[in-house]
Amino acid sequence: MNKKIELIRSSLENDLNNIDNISKLNEIKTKYLGKKGLITDLTSNMKELSIEERKEVGKVSNELRAEVTNKLDEICKYLEEKSLNEKISNEQIDISLPSTISKIGVPNILEKVVEELEELLMSMGYDVVEGPEVEKDLYNFELLNLPKGHPARDAQDTFYIDGDTLLLRSQTSPVQIRTMLSNEAKSPIRIICPGKTYRRDDDDATHSHQFNQMEGLLVDKNISLANLKATFDIIAKEMFGNDSITRFRPSFYPFTEPSVEMDISCFNCHGDGCNICKGTGWITIGGAGVVHHNVLDNCGYDSNIYSGFAFGFGIERIAMLKYGITDIRTFYTNDLRVNPTFDRKECD
């Protein structure tokens, strides 16, 4: 046994002197420590030995295995450090070279407009509430004072999914209905409802079968059209400048009475008339009105005690006016030059 060990040690010393890379090291490791290695072979006939001989052979082979393992580990560490130093020496970095500038994404214009409106209205005490895009006819029409057969339904060209009971919402007003119904205490409400809506429009420069809307609802005691006008004034000045002038024009919506169209003075010509305002000096932003007493009663509010106002904006329309975009389809393409927060020169 001792003779075998000395021969292994002598062979190992010769092999260690010839190791100059990791590949050679692995070959040596297999030669001595592998399943068929020289050290493993020392214990191959253990079953033929006596108990005392087994103890001695096991002890000697384990000591030799540990000795060889330590030597190989030291050489491995040396070779890895040597390889790393060579890479560092050969792959020098010129720190004077200009750095690579990574473009950082920004919100889509529509998201930006929604965020601006949300921040403004939340500062005025409104809560942001969302609801399902697949909606029941009950919430989208009936409780909004639009019973089946009402002619105003035809103007919305709704996408029905399941007969006449399930549909893609044509407005975010159902969120207002759901909020009023879920308010068991029937306490005052102040909410805004942003989200996607769907109507069977033919897509062109100013129409889309899918568009974003933000509606607002305030229900409390002694609420009038004057409160709505004051709120609209604040929104108009925040979105289009402090010199914006607002006006209401009579209109009709089944869920409000009285109903109005909300206009702002043209921010481009300041009332002189131009192609943006079609020569009128005014631009229509959205619709609004005092909540109809039937809607309040349908949702469990006593219309003799409570009143409220509701308003709605098309997000795409506000964004088109604010950023001078002439085609609504532009919002749904991947041209980064459309986004005013990008450096357009970098995108050309």
Side-chain angles (χ1 to χ4, degrees):
M1 174 61 68
N2 290 335
K3 186 176 180 180
K4 284 186 178 181
I5 292 175
E6 290 303 322
L7 288 174
I8 291 174
R9 282 201 173 103
S10 176
S11 175
L12 178 64
E13 290 297 328
N14 291 330
D15 288 338
L16 292 181
N17 292 331
N18 294 323
I19 296 177
D20 56 3
N21 56 63
I22 295 295
S23 178
K24 187 66 175 178
L25 176 69
N26 289 332
E27 291 179 7
I28 301 302
K29 189 174 183 180
T30 302
K31 177 180 178 180
Y32 291 92
L33 302 177
K35 290 183 178 180
K36 297 181 180 180
L38 296 176
I39 296 177
T40 306
D41 187 58
L42 292 174
T43 58
S44 61
N45 62 340
M46 290 284 279
K47 61 182 180 180
E48 300 173 1
L49 303 177
S50 65
I51 295 177
E52 293 299 325
E53 289 175 328
R54 289 179 189 177
K55 289 182 180 179
E56 181 63 23
V57 171
K59 177 183 177 183
V60 172
S61 62
N62 286 337
E63 289 175 350
L64 182 59
R65 179 179 292 276
E67 178 185 339
V68 173
T69 300
N70 291 334
K71 287 183 178 181
L72 292 177
D73 286 345
E74 290 177 3
I75 295 175
C76 181
K77 183 177 180 182
Y78 166 77
L79 291 175
E80 288 177 346
E81 290 180 354
K82 180 182 177 182
S83 176
L84 178 60
N85 290 332
E86 288 176 353
K87 285 185 178 180
I88 292 174
S89 177
N90 296 329
E91 299 177 5
Q92 293 182 355
I93 299 174
D94 186 353
I95 61 174
S96 65
L97 291 173
S99 61
T100 300
I101 300 176
S102 299
K103 295 178 181 178
I104 301 175
V106 297
N108 177 275
I109 295 177
L110 300 179
E111 293 179 5
K112 190 171 186 295
V113 170
V114 169
E115 288 175 359
E116 288 179 8
L117 286 168
E118 285 180 345
E119 289 180 6
L120 170 63
L121 289 159
M122 284 191 295
S123 71
M124 298 167 65
Y126 286 77
D127 294 322
V128 179
V129 182
E130 296 181 343
E133 295 177 20
V134 177
E135 188 55 272
K136 294 181 179 179
D137 182 274
L138 175 68
Y139 299 126
N140 196 80
F141 288 127
E142 292 186 35
L143 294 179
L144 282 163
N145 204 33
L146 280 158
K148 286 182 171 60
H150 196 289
R153 286 188 177 218
D154 297 335
Q156 298 201 21
D157 290 328
T158 309
F159 286 105
Y160 280 94
I161 298 174
D162 181 17
D164 59 356
T165 59
L166 203 61
L167 49 84
L168 293 178
R169 67 182 182 189
S170 58
Q171 54 205 356
T172 56
S173 303
V175 183
Q176 301 177 15
I177 296 296
R178 288 176 175 274
T179 302
M180 286 191 284
L181 288 172
S182 63
N183 184 7
E184 296 180 0
K186 303 307 172 189
S187 55
I189 288 176
R190 191 176 299 195
I191 61 170
I192 52 173
C193 317
K196 295 185 183 72
T197 55
Y198 306 86
R199 296 182 188 178
R200 291 189 299 171
D201 275 331
D202 294 328
D203 289 8
D204 56 29
T206 57
H207 297 86
S208 175
H209 65 280
Q210 170 191 304
F211 57 97
N212 291 272
Q213 196 176 61
M214 178 177 288
E215 296 190 16
L217 171 70
L218 188 150
V219 176
D220 207 334
K221 297 176 181 178
N222 302 316
I223 300 299
S224 70
L225 208 61
N227 302 112
L228 173 60
K229 182 64 163 58
T231 301
F232 180 46
D233 283 346
I234 295 173
I235 295 172
K237 286 178 168 55
E238 178 68 23
M239 298 303 292
F240 297 101
N242 289 328
D243 57 346
S244 294
I245 301 172
T246 63
R247 75 174 186 183
F248 283 167
R249 289 181 295 110
S251 186
F252 168 76
Y253 300 107
F255 32 81
T256 53
E257 180 60 37
S259 303
V260 296
E261 298 286 341
M262 301 186 294
D263 299 341
I264 63 168
S265 57
C266 181
F267 49 82
N268 184 57
C269 67
H270 303 288
D272 294 334
C274 66
N275 63 329
I276 294 179
C277 63
K278 299 180 180 178
T280 65
W282 295 93
I283 300 173
T284 301
I285 297 299
V290 174
V291 180
H292 198 289
H293 63 86
N294 285 346
V295 175
L296 291 173
D297 293 337
N298 288 341
C299 295
Y301 279 83
D302 187 343
S303 58
N304 294 315
I305 300 175
Y306 286 96
S307 57
F309 64 72
F311 58 85
F313 304 107
I315 299 300
E316 281 85 349
R317 176 160 179 77
I318 291 180
M320 291 173 74
L321 293 170
K322 188 175 178 66
Y323 295 110
I325 296 172
T326 57
D327 193 324
I328 193 173
R329 292 168 292 193
T330 303
F331 294 117
Y332 308 110
T333 64
N334 57 1
D335 189 347
L336 299 181
R337 291 173 296 180
V338 175
N339 198 320
T341 53
F342 269 99
D343 185 339
R344 298 194 177 196
K345 292 181 180 178
E346 291 185 8
C347 297
D348 288 335

